[in-house]
């Protein structure tokens, strides 16, 4: 699966939100060069009790009372930008050490480097130590990550997207060989020294454990849903088309909405959402007679595959999506060339804000989730972080402390001056303030900001109203509240899985085979062969591994 990534012209302030939740990249990771061929190759599972033992003690950090309090994994909502900000950090976190070299992904033109970037200068002036970011193309980040891990040459701070980590065979070997064990620094009450790291959700920290030890600072999701099906409500209304409420209506919508002569197609990528409409589980489900069933063995998966292949076969999917592993579907959606596509909910506000500046009637909404033929749908989701931040191994303890203090500053919450500087830069230089107090980036801000500090530091997610998205917070939280009861239970919640190497290796080749079926290059009947190849080359090994992990945890 591939994320629908932002175009190069996208406002950098909205870039993270445009990425969306649960995005997965197309470039698969190979085996880690230079690591043991045996260690970690069979995978391992750290049980839930052992995970809890190494987590930071949660400490809520709330500078402002939310207008719409979040519930569980649903973030807090704010209906206005604060007029008065507070200092969340009272002294510079840096100790005057050498510059901290970082690497993180970025989707868009590369901002100017340190020394020619006023934004970096302003933030580093508050940090008390220079952060020297290296932003790498998010579309090819897997290549860079694999090369660095294979060469055992990593920067002091490395941000790794979860979708890339999962595809690197024996990644746990790399973690133990190349990165600092943070357990003694952050375990339990030790995290109180870094209060904004301690405020990150425990559900995100659970995934940051390898081999029973804490190795990374997580960048939490905006909410646990993996995807939503977005549609152009404004264009559907103008055309007299109703939002579909069943797969049959979705198909009929596609027939009515697609008009190649006008350059309009109903759909972009939709397969992940259609699987959920048909009630297909995300990966594993317990069988009534015991053991685990993989989704490829579920009749609902085959039904969803056949349904989606029909959309491709009948020309209802945009040609750019058909001909590539992932078109720029955000741009196609914004321009009205596709009317419906799958994206992360994190994409919503940024796209609505950006496009509404040019087209005030623009209105994108997530389609309510429905079932097929009366069956209950499921919604995929988890609290798995978007990014992990690792510290290079063998740093002196005082350097680790300095870097954690910097990450704590980078995680300062909404309502703080640190949050505003991190997200918007310097007022009058990188942003101006509207009548409602909301910052808007200037041309310099759009040029110089690239989430250089955001992606490495984690943050407690919040949803904030802006003048150009007046109903967004209510709509976002309302969508979650209406659907949270349909979210599929995670059988492995709280258990850290370090997946077998053979399992990691088969993910991308199998995705490629399914992509061929969807696009008509192979018949749907070939699913049986794809499934057999998947099970024979790592799937059955994966099943045994996951079944043992559940049994070891009494589940």
């Amino acid at each position: 699966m591939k994320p629908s990534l932002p175009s190069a012209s996208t406002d950098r302030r909205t870039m993270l939100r445009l990425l969306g939740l649960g995005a997965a990249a197309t470039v698969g990771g190979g085996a880690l060069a230079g690591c043991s061929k045996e260690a970690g190759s069979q995978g391992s599972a750290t049980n839930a009790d052992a995970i809890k033992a190494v987590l930071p003690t949660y400490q809520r950090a709330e500078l402002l009372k939310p207008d719409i309090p979040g519930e569980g994994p649903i973030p807090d909502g704010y209906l206005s930008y604060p007029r008065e900000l507070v200092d969340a950090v009272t002294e510079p976190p840096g100790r005057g050490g050498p510059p901290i070299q970082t690497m993180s992904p970025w989707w868009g033109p590369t901002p100017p480097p340190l020394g020619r970037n006023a934004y970096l200068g302003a933030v580093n002036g508050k940090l008390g130590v220079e952060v020297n970011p290296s932003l790498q193309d998010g579309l090819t980040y897997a290549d860079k990550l694999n090369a660095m891990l294979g060469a055992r040459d990593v920067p002091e701070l490395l941000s790794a997207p979860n979708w890339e980590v999962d595809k690197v065979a024996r990644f746990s070997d790399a973690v133990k060989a190349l990165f600092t064990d943070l357990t003694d620094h952050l375990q339990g009450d030790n995290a109180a020294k870094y209060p904004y790291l301690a405020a990150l959700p425990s559900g995100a920290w659970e995934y940051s454990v390898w081999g029973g030890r804490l190795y990374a600072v997580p960048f939490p999701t905006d909410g646990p849903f993996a995807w939503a099906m977005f549609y152009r409500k404004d264009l559907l209304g103008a055309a007299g088309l109703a939002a579909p409420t069943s797969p049959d209506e979705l198909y009929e919508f596609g027939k009515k909405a697609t008009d190649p002569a006008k350059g309009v197609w109903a759909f972009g990528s939709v397969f992940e959402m259609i699987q959920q409409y048909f009630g297909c589980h995300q990966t594993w489900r317990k069988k009534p007679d015991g053991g685990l069933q993989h989704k490829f063995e579920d009749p609902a998966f085959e039904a969803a595959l056949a349904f989606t292949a029909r959309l491709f076969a009948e020309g209802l999917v945009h040609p750019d999506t058909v001909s590539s592993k992932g078109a720029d579907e955000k741009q196609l959606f914004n321009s009205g060339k596709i009317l419906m596509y799958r994206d992360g909910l994190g994409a919503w506000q940024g796209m609505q804000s950006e496009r509404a500046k040019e087209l005030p009637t623009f209105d994108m909404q997530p389609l309510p989730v429905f079932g097929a033929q009366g069956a209950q749908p499921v919604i995929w989701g988890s609290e798995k972080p978007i990014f992990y931040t690792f510290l290079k191994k063998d740093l002196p303890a005082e350097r680790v402390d300095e870097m954690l203090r910097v990450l704590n500053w980078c995680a300062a919450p909404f309502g703080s001056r640190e949050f505003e500087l991190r997200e918007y830069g310097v007022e009058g230089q990188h942003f101006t303030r509207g009548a409602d107090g909301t910052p808007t980036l200037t041309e310099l801000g759009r040029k110089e900001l690239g989430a250089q500090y955001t992606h490495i530091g984690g943050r407690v997610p919040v949803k904030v109203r802006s003048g150009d998205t007046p109903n967004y917070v209510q709509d976002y939280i309302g969508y979650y509240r209406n659907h949270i009861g349909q979210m599929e239970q995670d059988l492995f919640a709280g258990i850290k899985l370090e997946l077998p190497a053979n399992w990691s290796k088969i993910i991308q080749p199998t995705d490629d085979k399914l992509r061929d079926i969807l696009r008509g290059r192979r018949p749907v009947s070939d699913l049986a062969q794809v499934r057999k190849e998947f099970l024979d080359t790592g799937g059955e090994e994966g099943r045994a591994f996951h079944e043992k992990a559940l049994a070891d945890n009494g589940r």
Side-chain angles (χ1 to χ4, degrees), residues 167-410:
K167 294 183 179 182
V168 178
R170 298 194 292 277
F171 183 77
S172 60
D173 293 352
V175 169
K176 296 161 193 172
L178 301 177
F179 302 121
T180 296
D181 181 344
L182 300 174
T183 310
D184 293 341
H185 298 271
L186 296 172
Q187 180 180 25
D189 294 340
N190 292 343
K193 187 177 181 180
Y194 317 100
Y196 304 122
L197 299 184
L200 301 179
S202 295
W205 281 108
E206 289 177 352
Y207 289 91
S208 302
V209 175
W210 281 265
R213 304 292 288 178
L214 193 63
Y215 274 96
V217 172
F219 185 100
T221 68
D222 284 339
F225 292 172
W227 308 107
M229 183 83 90
F230 284 103
Y231 71 101
R232 286 291 300 271
K233 185 177 181 180
D234 55 326
L235 296 182
L236 266 64
L241 297 172
T245 61
S246 70
D248 288 342
E249 290 184 11
L250 186 71
Y251 170 75
E252 291 301 325
F253 160 79
K255 297 289 285 186
K256 294 175 182 177
T258 299
D259 189 346
K262 294 182 179 179
V264 176
W265 283 263
F267 305 117
S269 298
V270 294
F271 183 45
E272 290 80 9
M273 287 306 302
I274 288 174
Q275 290 177 59
Q276 295 171 67
Y277 299 159
F278 279 81
C280 182
H281 47 292
Q282 188 166 6
T283 307
W284 298 106
R285 178 178 288 166
K286 284 187 175 181
K287 296 187 290 188
D289 58 349
L292 292 176
Q293 176 196 58
H294 191 271
K295 72 174 182 179
F296 294 165
E297 301 170 303
D298 185 352
F301 180 83
E302 184 168 2
L305 185 70
F307 180 92
T308 312
R310 183 184 182 191
L311 302 183
F312 276 90
E314 297 190 16
L316 309 183
V317 179
H318 195 281
D320 286 1
T321 298
V322 175
S323 63
S324 70
K325 290 185 177 182
D328 187 352
E329 293 186 340
K330 283 180 168 58
Q331 181 58 36
L332 295 174
F333 183 77
N334 283 341
S335 61
K337 294 181 179 180
I338 57 175
L339 303 183
M340 195 173 293
Y341 85 120
R342 175 270 301 145
D343 207 341
L345 278 154
W348 188 357
Q349 186 177 27
M351 290 180 64
Q352 177 67 39
S353 171
E354 183 180 21
R355 187 69 177 110
K357 295 173 185 176
E358 303 170 358
L359 182 67
T361 59
F362 180 85
D363 187 8
M364 64 182 290
Q365 292 290 325
L367 189 68
V369 177
F370 47 73
Q373 299 176 341
Q376 285 294 319
V378 298
I379 297 180
W380 299 347
S382 78
E383 293 187 69
K384 192 171 191 175
I386 300 175
F387 304 110
Y388 301 102
T389 296
F390 298 95
L391 278 64
K392 187 176 182 179
K393 193 172 184 177
D394 295 331
L395 297 172
E398 58 272 18
R399 181 63 163 175
V400 173
D401 175 63
E402 180 179 43
M403 293 168 72
L404 288 175
R405 287 166 60 87
V406 168
L407 295 182
N408 180 70
W409 188 99
C410 292

Side-chain angles (χ1 to χ4, degrees), residues 450-530:
Q452 293 98 324
Y453 304 93
T454 304
H455 284 182
I456 63 172
R459 82 284 183 263
V460 175
V462 295
K463 292 298 165 184
V464 185
R465 179 191 183 276
S466 63
D468 47 13
T469 58
N471 301 314
Y472 165 74
V473 174
Q474 299 94 318
D475 289 346
Y476 182 97
I477 296 177
Y479 180 83
Y480 263 100
R481 287 179 172 172
N482 290 338
H483 291 84
I484 196 70
Q486 296 172 310
M487 192 171 80
E488 178 185 19
Q489 180 183 4
D490 182 0
L491 297 176
F492 302 93
I495 305 171
K496 178 54 189 283
L497 303 175
E498 299 174 33
L499 300 173
N502 286 337
W503 176 267
S504 298
K505 290 177 182 178
I506 61 175
I507 293 174
Q508 192 60 53
T510 304
D511 282 351
D512 291 341
K513 295 170 187 177
L514 295 173
R515 186 176 293 110
D516 285 343
I517 292 176
L518 287 172
R519 285 157 174 75
R521 295 190 283 265
R522 299 179 64 169
V524 173
S525 59
D526 271 11
L527 175 61
Q529 179 63 29
V530 172

